[in-house]
Amino acid sequence: MKRIFADPLIWLFALLLALIFGMTSLGGLFHWMFPELSRPVYQQESFASLVEAHLLLVGISSLIAVVIGVAAGVGVTRPAGKEFRSLVETLVAMGQTFPPVAVLAVAVPVMGFSEKPAIIALVLYGLLPILQGTIAGIESVPASAREIAQGVGMSRWQMLRKVEIPLAAPVIISGIRTSVIINIGTAAIASSVGTLSLGSPIIIGLSGFNTAYVLQGAVIVALLAICVDMLFERWSLWLQRWQQRSADESVR
C-alpha cells in the first residue's frame, strides 16, 4: 500500500482529476491571483467535457498516425521498399515542419470549421516520430534473430509478425509516445477552428486578455501530457521486461 501511494503517477493523476472536476471551486484563489478579472474561472463548458473532447481528438489523430507511420516504416525496411525510404522520410519530415496553424488555414476553407482540419494537422505533425521509431526499431533487430527465423522456415510475413515487430516494439512505442505527447499539446489549436478541446479556455483567454483562462487550460494540458507520458514509460518498461523473460526462457 505504501508503495502505491509513493507512486508519483497516482498523485499527479489525482491532481489532474481534482482540477478537472473542482476547477470551479477555485474561484476564490483565481480572484486573489487576478483581482482585475470579473470572471476568473472558465465556465462556458465543463473541464470534464473539454478533456473528453481533447482526448478523443488526440486519440483519433494518433491512431491514424500510428497506422500510417508504422505501415510506412515497415514498408521502407522491406527489400522492395528500400529505394523509397529517402522519399518517404522527406515527405513525412515536411509534414512536421509545416506549422499546424498553416495546415488549418489551408484546410478550413475546404472542410469548414470542424474537427477534420485539426485531425489532418495533428496526423501530419505526429507522423515523423512514429516513422523514425519504426525504422529504428526494425533495424535494431539482431541479424541472428532473423537467421534463426529463416532457419525454422518462417516466411517474410511470419518473420515480421513474430520476430521483428515484437523485438522492435519498445523502440516503436517510444516513437508513438513522442508523437502522442506532441499531439496532446498541439491539439489545443483545434479550438481556433471551432473544435471543442482544452484549447478553448486558452483561445478565449488570449482573445479576451483573461490570463486566468489561459493558465487553467495550460495546466490541465500539461498534467494530462505528463500522466500519459508516464503511462507510456511504464508500458515500455513492461515490454522490455517481458522480452527479457522470453529470452531467458528460450535459453533455458
Side-chain angles (χ1 to χ4, degrees):
M1 185 64 69
K2 289 182 179 179
R3 194 173 180 180
I4 294 176
F5 285 108
D7 189 346
L9 178 59
I10 298 296
W11 292 104
L12 285 172
F13 188 66
L15 176 60
L16 176 62
L17 290 178
L19 289 176
I20 291 172
F21 295 103
M23 188 69 77
T24 54
S25 303
L26 299 176
L29 173 63
F30 285 105
H31 270 295
W32 173 74
M33 293 175 63
F34 305 97
E36 72 282 2
L37 299 176
S38 58
R39 295 182 60 187
V41 178
Y42 182 82
Q43 296 181 347
Q44 278 86 330
E45 298 92 7
S46 69
F47 278 96
S49 64
L50 293 178
V51 170
E52 181 182 359
H54 197 92
L55 287 177
L56 183 61
L57 187 65
V58 172
I60 292 173
S61 60
S62 296
L63 179 60
I64 296 171
V66 167
V67 171
I68 296 173
V70 172
V74 169
V76 299
T77 57
R78 303 301 92 188
K82 285 185 177 180
E83 60 183 293
F84 299 103
R85 175 171 173 173
S86 60
L87 174 63
V88 170
E89 287 181 324
T90 301
L91 290 175
V92 172
M94 286 175 61
Q96 175 133 48
T97 55
F98 205 59
V101 176
V103 176
L104 294 178
V106 172
V108 166
V110 178
M111 300 181 174
F113 285 88
S114 66
E115 69 280 354
K116 293 178 182 178
I119 290 174
I120 291 174
L122 293 175
V123 169
L124 291 175
Y125 211 57
L127 272 176
L128 185 60
I130 299 173
L131 177 71
Q132 290 178 332
T134 303
I135 293 173
I138 291 177
E139 288 184 340
S140 68
V141 174
S144 58
R146 293 190 177 92
E147 291 171 0
I148 293 172
Q150 289 176 339
V152 298
M154 286 188 184
S155 65
R156 288 184 178 179
W157 167 246
Q158 289 175 320
M159 191 188 307
L160 174 67
R161 184 168 56 89
K162 295 182 179 181
V163 178
E164 293 179 307
I165 292 296
L167 291 177
V171 183
I172 295 174
I173 289 172
S174 178
I176 295 173
R177 170 185 176 183
T178 302
S179 175
V180 171
I181 300 308
I182 289 173
N183 276 356
I184 289 176
T186 310
I189 66 168
S191 296
S192 64
V193 292
T195 301
L196 195 66
S197 76
L198 285 168
S200 298
I202 297 174
I203 299 297
I204 293 175
L206 289 172
S207 60
F209 300 100
N210 192 319
T211 309
Y213 287 5
V214 177
L215 180 63
Q216 290 155 26
V219 166
I220 293 182
V221 169
L223 281 174
L224 187 62
I226 293 170
C227 289
V228 171
D229 183 62
M230 293 178 75
L231 287 172
F232 267 104
E233 180 184 16
R234 293 173 187 218
W235 185 20
S236 180
L237 290 173
W238 178 84
L239 272 176
Q240 291 174 14
R241 286 196 294 267
W242 175 79
Q243 287 181 344
Q244 186 61 47
R245 285 198 301 269
S246 299
D248 293 342
E249 289 173 1
S250 64
V251 171
R252 293 171 189 173

